[in-house]
Amino acid sequence: GHAVASLLLGQDVSRASIKATTSGVGGAVFNADDESQFITRKKLRNKIKVAYAGRVAEELFFDDITGGASNDISQAKQMINAYVDTYGFDNESGLYGVVEKSTTDKDSSNRKAALSNELVNEVRTLLEVNRELVSSLAKELLLKETMSGSEIVKYLNIEEK
C-alpha cells in the first residue's frame, strides 16, 4: 500500500520489502525530498496519506488488521499535529491557531480527527481504484522479498513524477 500510494501521489520510493523489521512487517523506504527545505500543504497531506496506506491496504485485502501499522499511525498523528499547530495549514484555525496556542482544545482535536478521516478516505479511494497495482506488487514482493524503487516503477509501469 505504501509504495503504490507513494508513486501515485508523486513521491519517490527507494525500496519496498515484505521482510520483517524491528518496526513491523516490511514496508517502503522513501527518498528524501531535496526539492525544498519547506513543506507544502499538498506534500504534507500526501505524506500523511502514504503513512495511512499500509493500514488501509490491510483493511482492503485482509479479513482483519494487525498492529503492524502502529508506527505509521503515530507518524501520521505527528504530521497532523504539525499540519494544524505548527504550519497553520488548517483552514479553521489558520495562522491565528499557530500563534494562539489555546487552539489545542477539543475543537482542535475534532478538526485533527476530521482531517485524519478525510485523508484516510482519500487514500482508501486511491488504493481501491488501483487495487490491481497493490495486489500485483504484493504478489511480486512475495517472490522477491525486496524491490528497489526503480524496479517497482518498471514493474508497475507507473511514470515517475
Side-chain angles (χ1 to χ4, degrees):
H2 293 296
V4 171
S6 225
L7 291 171
L8 292 173
L9 293 169
Q11 297 177 13
D12 292 331
V13 175
S14 177
R15 71 179 181 280
S17 177
I18 59 164
K19 289 182 181 181
T21 66
T22 55
S23 62
V25 179
V29 177
F30 308 102
N31 294 328
D33 182 8
D34 294 331
E35 252 182 56
S36 171
Q37 63 184 6
F38 300 108
I39 188 80
T40 66
R41 181 188 328 227
K42 180 179 178 181
K43 281 187 180 185
L44 187 54
R45 289 175 68 90
N46 285 345
K47 286 175 69 99
I48 297 166
K49 288 184 224 180
V50 170
Y52 282 142
R55 167 57 65 83
V56 170
E58 281 185 342
E59 293 172 359
L60 291 174
F61 289 93
F62 302 114
D63 292 334
D64 202 1
I65 56 175
T66 70
S70 63
N71 189 45
D72 299 324
I73 294 167
S74 177
Q75 288 177 5
K77 181 180 178 181
Q78 290 174 352
M79 287 186 280
I80 287 170
N81 286 337
Y83 186 97
V84 174
D85 297 334
T86 304
Y87 302 122
F89 290 162
D90 175 48
N91 289 333
E92 294 294 319
S93 59
L95 296 178
Y96 180 76
V98 174
V99 175
E100 180 61 44
K101 291 299 182 184
S102 67
T103 60
T104 58
D105 58 9
K106 186 176 179 184
D107 183 50
S108 176
S109 294
N110 289 341
R111 289 195 317 275
K112 290 174 186 177
L115 175 62
S116 176
N117 290 333
E118 175 185 335
L119 298 176
V120 165
N121 288 332
E122 287 179 16
V123 78
R124 180 177 291 115
T125 299
L126 180 71
L127 294 181
E128 283 174 339
V129 168
N130 294 281
R131 187 179 190 94
E132 192 53 44
L133 291 177
V134 178
S135 180
S136 179
L137 180 58
K139 288 174 186 171
E140 189 69 7
L141 282 169
L142 285 172
L143 297 173
K144 294 185 174 180
E145 289 189 344
T146 301
M147 294 173 71
S148 70
S150 60
E151 288 175 315
I152 294 167
V153 168
K154 185 176 178 182
Y155 178 79
L156 295 177
N157 196 26
I158 296 177
E159 284 187 36
E160 290 186 89
K161 306 211 188 255

